Amino acid sequence: GDSVTQMEGPVTLSEEAFLTINCTYTATGYPSLFWYVQYPGEGLQLLLKATKADDKGSNKGFEATYRKETTSFHLEKGSVQVSDSAVYFCALFWQAGTALIFGKGTTLSVSS
Amino acid sequence: KAGVTQTPRYLIKTRGQQVTLSCSPISGHRSVSWYQQTPGQGLQFLFEYFSETQRNKGNFPGRFSGRQFSNSRSEMNVSTLELGDSALYLCASSFVSGTSTDTQYFGPGTRLTVL
């Protein structure tokens, strides 16, 4: 079945460091891809999305490109801040299934 | 525009009891989905409703049920609670146009603790 695999955390960085969180997916076809972020004690917030191959989603300095050839959607940010500390979830969505399939989440901790 | 709201935010129940959680979607969103989040299993899809009809269901026992009302508000019910039902229950709403369901936006969740 369809699945999403994220790099294991936690990821610990210093402020202003470069961030990459790897995400790969397994699916028959071309689903929409998402990154959601969860801050402590809160629900999920949409960070960015891409709906077709080679699309680049971006928001708040974060970027991810839908790579069909490598079935990947890696999240990157050039300079992280302490306020970026959270859990990040990669997810795929099928119209037919009307359900998001999530990776296990990656915890990011940024220190000043 | 107001976001997705969920009530209550916190709930403590004992084994064997039943519980009802409520979700109000973003205005204009007619699709409501429910997810369970636990440390061990992560985020798992429960079910999705559109126009008062369940369109899709995840792999959960029949103790988990839901419904949607004509104003798109949704409730989920868990009967005969088990310790393993302790989790954060998240509701998400999305806009539907024709056969296309748009991005899902999540509420803050209901934290259920079963003792």
Side-chain angles (χ1 to χ4, degrees), chain A residues 36 38 49 95 97-98 100, chain B residues 35 37 48 56 101 103-104:
Chain A
Y36 284 88
Q38 186 174 37
K49 68 177 184 180
Q95 285 291 337
T98 63
L100 285 162
Chain B
Y35 295 83
Q37 185 178 23
E48 186 256 354
N56 196 10
T101 301
T103 302
Q104 295 189 8

Side-chain angles (χ1 to χ4, degrees), chain B residues 44-64:
Chain B
Q44 295 185 285
F45 171 73
L46 281 156
F47 28 66
E48 186 256 354
Y49 286 87
F50 172 68
S51 288
E52 303 177 66
T53 300
Q54 186 182 89
R55 290 199 297 184
N56 196 10
K57 187 178 189 306
N59 188 26
F60 278 82
R63 300 185 296 106
F64 292 82

Side-chain angles (χ1 to χ4, degrees), chain A residues 7 13 17-23 35 47-48 56-67 72-81 84 88 108:
Chain A
M7 60 186 289
L13 296 173
F18 183 84
L19 168 72
T20 299
I21 300 178
N22 291 337
C23 171
W35 278 100
L47 185 57
L48 54 83
K56 177 186 280 189
S58 61
N59 185 27
K60 299 180 182 179
F62 291 90
E63 292 183 341
T65 301
Y66 191 138
R67 301 287 187 199
S72 65
F73 193 53
H74 305 321
L75 182 68
E76 296 182 334
K77 186 176 186 183
S79 176
V80 294
Q81 305 300 312
D84 294 327
Y88 292 80
L108 170 65

Side-chain angles (χ1 to χ4, degrees), chain A residues 34 36 38 41-46 49 89 93 95-104, chain B residues 9 35 37 40-41 43 45 48 55-56 88 90 99-108:
Chain A
F34 299 82
Y36 284 88
Q38 186 174 37
E42 298 184 12
L44 301 179
Q45 293 181 24
L46 175 67
K49 68 177 184 180
F89 292 93
F93 179 80
Q95 285 291 337
T98 63
L100 285 162
I101 297 172
F102 288 91
K104 292 289 189 184
Chain B
R9 290 294 310 276
Y35 295 83
Q37 185 178 23
Q41 298 300 315
L43 282 152
F45 171 73
E48 186 256 354
R55 290 199 297 184
N56 196 10
L88 180 67
L90 292 164
T99 59
S100 177
T101 301
D102 203 358
T103 302
Q104 295 189 8
Y105 294 91
F106 285 80

